[in-house]
Amino acid sequence: MARKARTQVGGGSTGTSVLENPRRPCPCGSGRRYKACHGSADAAEMIVARPFAGLEAETELIALREFVPSATAPLTLRDAAPDAPTVTLATVLPGAAAALTRADGSVLLGLQVQTHSGDLSRDLAAALEWALAAEPSSVLTAVGRPSTGNRWGDVVVDEPLDVTVHDDFGWWLEEAPEEGSEVALSLERANTAIMPTARVAGRPGAYWVDAGEKAHLRWVRAEDEQPLMSALARLAAADRLDLGEGSRYVGSFRAHGRLVPVWDLDREAHPSEWDGPAVAFDERLQEALAVDEPLTADQRRARDGILGRQFTLR
């Protein structure tokens, strides 16, 4: 099923492979030739700022990678043989492993890993290809630092993820552990670290989490940052940036090339109570995104305030 790499460093497919013509511009958008950029010997050290660009599942992949504790989603392989094993994407695996195979040959692929290169898309593809060739009951603790080879879109069908959020890590195990065993104790320790989490309004990349003193909504947005910031500024200037009573917009962070707005929420409210307010906010945001006029003075001040509450996750 492995195919010659023909993908952009940022996402979708190119025509002629840069591996066939390394003098072509590097598809990461740097402006340099491929052989002097991601085709160089130190390519594993280079950072792909937006590894999942152009993928339908981009926002979900970022959320599962960065802040969702326990969740899984089935994957569909490209060019899969009739006897190909089932593959499940997971937030984190035991020991933060990159991949593992079960006794029946099925594959679990981990997003939150111990080590990685500068291109998470290529890391995931390399781990998946390892798992598809591995014996049952095998574990890949770390993927290494691949600088060439397939990326996510070369090995997995580009489609939205059907995410299931779990209350614990019981899905790690193929059978219930013996009470009092080290496996049972390890699972219990992992479960105690999980903060209650839920999807909000079924929107990709939008997750409620109970962090203890407060609950939060973190929402990975698919829009480019500049128009998104302008739209948020328009809403802030009109006092329409919150999600209603019991909510407060607190800022945003960048993760893998996308912006993630964050709200504090009343933790006494059930997660589902935020579905309606989230949908209403999204409608307001879409209206603001459609406005082409320059920002007013009040809106520019609001934008400056929003920009002052940002930080970046790689």
Side-chain angles (χ1 to χ4, degrees):
M1 60 153 280
R3 302 184 305 166
K4 182 176 288 187
R6 292 178 177 268
T7 60
Q8 301 180 49
V9 174
S13 176
T14 63
T16 302
S17 170
V18 289
L19 299 182
E20 296 167 1
N21 184 2
R23 296 181 64 84
R24 290 173 59 86
C26 187
C28 75
S30 67
R32 291 181 289 176
R33 289 179 297 174
Y34 174 75
K35 73 174 188 177
C37 191
H38 279 84
S40 65
D42 62 348
E45 304 300 324
M46 302 185 71
I47 304 301
V48 178
R50 195 179 160 199
F52 308 121
L55 297 178
E56 289 195 54
E58 180 180 21
T59 57
E60 286 283 27
L61 287 167
I62 293 171
L64 298 182
R65 158 73 185 177
E66 292 302 329
F67 53 79
V68 177
S70 179
T72 56
L75 298 178
T76 304
L77 298 176
R78 286 190 179 276
D79 306 324
D83 60 346
T86 61
V87 178
T88 301
L89 182 68
T91 48
V92 63
L93 298 176
L100 61 82
T101 58
R102 295 191 183 278
D104 63 0
S106 60
V107 172
L108 290 178
L109 182 66
L111 269 167
Q112 300 174 24
V113 295
Q114 298 182 50
T115 60
H116 58 85
S117 72
D119 187 351
L120 294 176
S121 178
R122 181 165 284 127
D123 292 347
L124 285 165
L128 177 54
E129 289 175 330
W130 174 91
L132 293 173
E135 295 295 323
S137 302
S138 300
V139 178
L140 177 64
T141 56
V143 75
R145 304 181 71 80
S147 59
T148 60
N150 286 322
R151 304 180 77 248
W152 177 271
D154 295 311
V155 294
V156 176
V157 172
D158 182 18
E159 59 187 359
L161 295 179
D162 181 14
V163 176
T164 299
V165 177
H166 302 276
D167 294 331
D168 57 30
F169 288 111
W171 52 269
W172 276 357
L173 306 178
E174 297 178 74
E175 57 185 30
E178 182 180 346
E179 186 174 353
S181 66
E182 180 58 35
V183 172
L185 293 174
S186 296
L187 183 62
E188 182 179 354
R189 286 193 294 269
N191 288 340
T192 58
I194 292 179
M195 292 186 291
T197 302
R199 299 188 75 195
V200 175
R203 299 300 170 101
Y207 287 87
W208 171 94
V209 59
D210 183 349
E213 294 184 0
K214 296 179 180 179
H216 305 289
L217 169 62
R218 300 175 180 134
W219 196 338
V220 186
R221 299 299 310 189
E223 299 86 2
D224 289 338
E225 182 169 337
Q226 184 172 347
L228 177 58
M229 289 303 302
S230 294
L232 292 174
R234 296 182 196 279
L235 295 179
D239 197 24
R240 305 181 72 198
L241 192 53
D242 62 25
L243 300 176
E245 184 178 356
S247 71
R248 181 174 68 92
Y249 179 81
V250 295
S252 63
F253 61 91
R254 299 183 190 91
H256 308 296
R258 298 289 83 179
L259 198 66
V260 188
V262 181
W263 291 262
D264 280 348
L265 305 175
D266 177 3
R267 67 185 300 265
E268 297 302 318
H270 189 272
S272 63
E273 293 183 49
W274 298 106
D275 288 355
V279 171
F281 170 81
D282 205 17
E283 292 173 351
R284 296 197 301 273
L285 182 62
Q286 297 308 315
E287 293 173 0
L289 284 163
V291 177
D292 292 331
E293 299 173 1
L295 296 179
T296 66
D298 286 346
Q299 291 168 347
R300 289 196 299 271
R301 283 192 291 271
R303 181 188 59 190
D304 292 342
I306 293 171
L307 286 170
R309 289 179 283 173
Q310 281 188 318
F311 63 96
T312 300
L313 298 179
R314 197 165 79 187

